[in-house]
Every structure is written in structure tokens, then in C-alpha cells.
């Protein structure tokens, strides 16, 4: 163990960092502190010495609390517990919701400044918008994964750990999920248990590698079929929020329904349907997804639009092949296109950005769940001739550090 580990320090917390941790300094060294709020003075214990310029620490007690501190919404994650016994997954639960959104806004703005070199009004003027629902930010999760320990007990992992923490409540989950969650049961030999609340039929348990079944979700009156083990937005209002946000993010004057429009990392077709719903039955759009089962559902979900289709393939390979094989007519349709992409947390990355930039679409709508990855990719798109022209952020994950953003990039 490094000599610094286990050391207890009184720290003045100065600002927020990406990942749900706060920043303090001790004798010139940066310390990332969990369960603290900028403006507080806390007693913290060093847990990790990276042998570089920073340490990590956990808050043991709060000496001078922030005016934005509240009683944690989840007692199992409270600072009153030993750090190693705190449930993960609600790292902002000790902060009043309005200030959570302010801290998330700061992270988005700082990420754009540091990784995209952007300080424009579009970048700095963003706010993090609250979703409908319970104003205290609980009761929104429609999907929960419980991990299982060696004795078969289910529960969340502790923060930054694979240690299962038994709990008696899941306050971020919907009432149906909370009622169905088998918190007192035993699942010896299993790795995890999922509880899923679909748009119809209530909550269901999925134990381990259980065979998937088909469920139906709704956005307004539109139905989407998918596997109960497949991806769907977690917040009860997230799918509708992102549908509307993507529709509004597209510049109608630049949209050509006859162009080779794309929906990358398209899942079961949620955002492709959002585009087609806005621009009508003549819309041509291809949804690309690596999961063959999801692509099959996307084909069904998009079947009412004759110009919509779903393709199975890894986006980086599919888009590179498109770029290399397109003839002059295809390239003209691609230059007129709108490309929507919703990549995983790691972002699209250099290869995909270069391929998209090479197609020279009229506009790009980028849906992101990680502000650092988004900012990095915006910087890469800038090198390919695209400017950030609109940006919205949404609090799709209250009481966590996660924030969703929808960015519009327009070709110069």
C-alpha cells in the first residue's frame, strides 16, 4: 500500500470534475473526492495514490456543509455509512436537484472548453433541462440491474468496486420496479438479475442469461417492439424527450428527405422514427446497428416508411465501406444528408468522425451521454469543417453525474 493511502485530511472542496467527483488540493496536489460538494470543507480518507499528480479520497464526514447539501435520497449511499459500504449509482443524491443540474452544466461547459476549445455562446450558454416527473428526482428508473455476490445476495455494486451491497430500497426506480425487485431473495450461481418495466405488462425479472422475450414501449402513440434484454432509454420520459430534442435539433432548411440520411448506432429505430415522423412519409433514412436482434426490431418499427431501412453492422466498418464504395450519385445524396448518431459512452471516435466528415453531410445531430467524449468528437468534427450551432442538455439521470446532450453540427 502506498504511504499516503489511509491518510485522513481536512480538505476545502473547490470545484466539480467529470465522473461525479469533486476537486480539492493538498500541498499542491489535486485530490478527487467522492461524496463532497464544491464549497464544502470535509474530512476525507485517501484511497488511491496514483503516484502522479493526483490522489483519490472518500468523504468521511462533512465539517462545513454546502447550502446545497440535502439528506441523501438513498440511505444505502449516505455519507453516514462507511465509504466501502455505500451503494453506487446515486453519487449526486446528497445534492439538491437544481444544484445537481448546475454542476452538470459546469462539466459540459468545461469539457467543451478543454477538449473542443470552444467558448462560443452556444457552448457556454447551455443549461441542463429537467425532465417531467417527481421534482425530487426519484422514481424514474425503468430498468435496474442487481449484481449477485458469492452467497447469492443481489444488490448494486459499491462505488468504483465490484463489491455487492445488499439494500432494502431502490428509490430511483419506479414504483413497479421497487415492488418487483427481489432484494431479499437468493440467486446462487447467477451473476446478475435485471428488473425491467416495459410500456405494457408491468415489471418483470430477467435472471442471468434468461432467454429474451419481446416487449412494447411507447413514445406518444407510437409503438416500438424490442427484446426485454435489449437497450431502451432508462428514464420514464427519456425516449420522448430525445425524440423531441432530435426533431428540434434538425435544421429543416438543410434537411432533404430524398437524401441518404443516416441514423448511426440506431438501436431499435427510436431516432430514425423521430426523423421520419417530423419530415413525413417520403423520408429516406437508414438505421445502422451492430446488434442483429435490435436491427430486426428496427426493421419492424420503421416499416411504415417505405424509404426507411435498418442495416446490421459495426458503425465504424459500415460507414467506412459506404465512404469507399459510394459513386458520384451516392456522394451527392450523402452531401445533402442529415446524419444522426447516438454512440456509446466512449463516443464515436476518430475513425467514425473521419468517415462521416469525408461524406460531407449537410448537418450532423450528435446525441451523447458523456460530455468529454462529445467534446472530443466535436473538436474532431471541427477539423473536418463542422461547427457547433446548437446544443441542449438534459437531466436524464437525476441523482447521478450522468447528463445527456444533443448537439447540432453544421457544415461550413
Amino acid at each position: 500500500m502506498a504511504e499516503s493511502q489511509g491518510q485522513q485530511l481536512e480538505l476545502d472542496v473547490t470545484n466539480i470534475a467529470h465522473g461525479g467527483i469533486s476537486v480539492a488540493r493538498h500541498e499542491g496536489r489535486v485530490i478527487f473526492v467522492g461524496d463532497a460538494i464544491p464549497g464544502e470543507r470535509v474530512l476525507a480518507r485517501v484511497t488511491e495514490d496514483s503516484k502522479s499528480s493526483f490522489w483519490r479520497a472518500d468523504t468521511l464526514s462533512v465539517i462545513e456543509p454546502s447550502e446545497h447539501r440535502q439528506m441523501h435520497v438513498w440511505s444505502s449511499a449516505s455519507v453516514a455509512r462507511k465509504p466501502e459500504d455505500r451503494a453506487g449509482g446515486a453519487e449526486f443524491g446528497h445534492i439538491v436537484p437544481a444544484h445537481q443540474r448546475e454542476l452538470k452544466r459546469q462539466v459540459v461547459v468545461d469539457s467543451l472548453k478543454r477538449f473542443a476549445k470552444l467558448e462560443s455562446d452556444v457552448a457556454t450558454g447551455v443549461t441542463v433541462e429537467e425532465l417531467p416527473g417527481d421534482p425530487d428526482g426519484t422514481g424514474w428508473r425503468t430498468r435496474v440491474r442487481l449484481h449477485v455476490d458469492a452467497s447469492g445476495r443481489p444488490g448494486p455494486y459499491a462505488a468504483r468496486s465490484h463489491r455487492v451491497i445488499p439494500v432494502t430500497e431502490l428509490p430511483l426506480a419506479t414504483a413497479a420496479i421497487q415492488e418487483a425487485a427481489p432484494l431479499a431473495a437468493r440467486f446462487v450461481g447467477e451473476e446478475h438479475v435485471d428488473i425491467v418495466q416495459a410500456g405494457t405488462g408491468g415489471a418483470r425479472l430477467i435472471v442471468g442469461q434468461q432467454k429474451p422475450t419481446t416487449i412494447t414501449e411507447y413514445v406518444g402513440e407510437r409503438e416500438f417492439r424490442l427484446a426485454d434484454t435489449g437497450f431502451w432509454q432508462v428514464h420514464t420520459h427519456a425516449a420522448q424527450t430525445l425524440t423531441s430534442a432530435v426533431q428540434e435539433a434538425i435544421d429543416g432548411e438543410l434537411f432533404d428527405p430524398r437524401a441518404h440520411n443516416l441514423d448511426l448506432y440506431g438501436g431499435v429505430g427510436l431516432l430514425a422514427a423521430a426523423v421520419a415522423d417530423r419530415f413525413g412519409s417520403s423520408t429516406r433514412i437508414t438505421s445502422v446497428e451492430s446488434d442483429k436482434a435490435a436491427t430486426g426490431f428496427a426493421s419492424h418499427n420503421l416499416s411504415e416508411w417505405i424509404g426507411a431501412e435498418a442495416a446490421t453492422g459495426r458503425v465504424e466498418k459500415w460507414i467506412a465501406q459506404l465512404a469507399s464504395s459510394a459513386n458520384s450519385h451516392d456522394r451527392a445524396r450523402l452531401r445533402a444528408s442529415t446524419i444522426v448518431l447516438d454512440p456509446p459512452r466512449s463516443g464515436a471516435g476518430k475513425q467514425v468522425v473521419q468517415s462521416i466528415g469525408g461524406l460531407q453531410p449537410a448537418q450532423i445531430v450528435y446525441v451523447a451521454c458523456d460530455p468529454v467524449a462529445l467534446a472530443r468528437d466535436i473538436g474532431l468534427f471541427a477539423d473536418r469543417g463542422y461547427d457547433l450551432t446548437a446544443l441542449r442538455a438534459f437531466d436524464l439521470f437525476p441523482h447521478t453525474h450522468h447528463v445527456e446532450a444533443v448537439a447540432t453540427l453544421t457544415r461550413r
Side-chain angles (χ1 to χ4, degrees):
M1 177 182 290
E3 186 175 332
S4 60
Q5 287 186 269
Q7 182 179 358
Q8 295 187 16
L9 303 170
E10 289 191 10
L11 299 172
D12 292 314
V13 182
T14 56
N15 54 295
I16 194 70
H18 177 52
I21 50 179
S22 295
V23 180
R25 285 173 172 80
H26 176 71
E27 297 179 350
R29 185 184 300 274
V30 171
I31 303 181
F32 294 116
V33 189
D35 298 312
I37 307 173
E40 292 188 327
R41 185 171 181 82
V42 301
L43 177 65
R45 182 175 63 211
V46 177
T47 59
E48 181 183 332
D49 180 351
S50 69
K51 297 182 180 180
S52 61
S53 59
F54 71 89
W55 293 346
R56 293 186 183 274
D58 288 324
T59 296
L60 298 177
S61 62
V62 181
I63 300 168
E64 297 177 10
S66 165
E67 62 180 317
H68 305 296
R69 180 172 284 273
Q70 65 177 6
M71 182 180 294
H72 205 294
V73 297
W74 194 7
S75 60
S76 298
S78 169
V79 74
R81 282 191 165 203
K82 294 180 180 179
E84 60 270 23
D85 292 334
R86 295 172 195 166
E91 61 277 6
F92 274 7
H94 60 290
I95 309 172
V96 297
H99 195 60
Q100 292 179 33
R101 293 190 290 275
E102 167 57 21
L103 294 177
K104 294 178 187 186
R105 184 198 68 80
Q106 292 175 20
V107 170
V108 171
V109 172
D110 181 65
S111 298
L112 290 169
K113 180 178 179 180
R114 292 174 58 203
F115 297 99
K117 310 303 180 187
L118 280 178
E119 297 185 63
S120 64
D121 291 343
V122 173
T124 60
V126 66
T127 61
V128 177
E129 302 175 36
E130 180 182 6
L131 268 64
D134 195 326
D136 73 359
T138 60
W140 53 267
R141 288 196 72 101
T142 61
R143 281 141 174 85
V144 170
R145 168 159 289 186
L146 301 175
H147 302 279
V148 179
D149 68 13
S151 70
R153 295 182 306 175
Y157 282 146
R160 296 183 299 280
S161 168
H162 285 175
R163 181 167 175 257
V164 174
I165 305 297
V167 298
T168 59
E169 58 178 347
L170 298 169
L172 302 192
T174 64
I177 293 287
Q178 293 187 57
E179 183 177 353
L183 299 178
R186 289 291 187 271
F187 298 91
V188 177
E190 300 292 349
E191 293 185 358
H192 55 77
V193 178
D194 294 321
I195 312 100
V196 174
Q197 180 184 354
T200 58
R204 63 180 65 199
L205 296 183
I206 305 171
V207 180
Q209 301 301 316
Q210 182 176 320
K211 184 179 179 180
T213 59
T214 299
I215 59 175
T216 302
E217 297 285 3
Y218 290 89
V219 178
E221 296 182 355
R222 180 167 295 287
E223 294 184 0
F224 290 87
R225 297 181 66 190
L226 66 151
D228 57 3
T229 56
F231 175 79
W232 187 255
Q233 293 294 332
V234 174
H235 194 293
T236 50
H237 298 286
Q240 179 62 69
T241 296
L242 291 179
T243 290
S244 299
V246 166
Q247 289 173 335
E248 294 167 13
I250 297 172
D251 184 340
E253 294 186 1
L254 294 178
F255 187 84
D256 182 350
R258 298 163 298 178
H260 195 346
N261 302 298
L262 301 176
D263 168 33
L264 304 180
Y265 312 94
V268 297
L270 173 69
L271 300 183
V275 176
D277 261 339
R278 178 181 170 189
F279 292 101
S281 59
S282 63
T283 300
R284 295 179 179 273
I285 189 164
T286 301
S287 183
V288 184
E289 167 61 47
S290 62
D291 185 331
K292 185 177 181 179
T295 305
F297 284 113
S299 294
H300 170 83
N301 296 332
L302 300 172
S303 60
E304 73 180 73
W305 294 285
I306 193 170
E309 61 180 343
T312 303
R314 294 184 61 86
V315 168
E316 61 271 24
K317 293 182 179 179
W318 191 93
I319 196 78
Q321 175 63 28
L322 177 66
S324 64
S325 63
N327 58 35
S328 58
H329 174 71
D330 294 333
R331 289 193 174 278
R333 291 182 61 225
L334 286 163
R335 282 195 299 273
S337 74
T338 293
I339 296 181
V340 177
L341 66 157
D342 184 7
R345 195 170 305 282
S346 57
K350 186 175 182 179
Q351 181 181 344
V352 172
V353 169
Q354 286 182 339
S355 294
I356 293 174
L359 300 177
Q360 297 183 303
Q363 61 185 327
I364 300 159
V365 175
Y366 190 133
V367 180
C369 58
D370 186 283
V372 169
L374 171 65
R376 179 206 64 206
D377 288 349
I378 286 175
L380 293 173
F381 275 120
D383 294 339
R384 307 293 298 188
Y386 287 84
D387 292 325
L388 178 68
T389 53
L391 178 65
R392 295 176 71 186
F394 301 93
D395 196 12
L396 263 57
F397 311 94
H399 299 301
T400 80
H401 73 276
H402 299 294
V403 58
E404 198 88 1
V406 179
T408 302
L409 302 163
T410 305
R411 189 177 64 212
R412 295 187 201 117

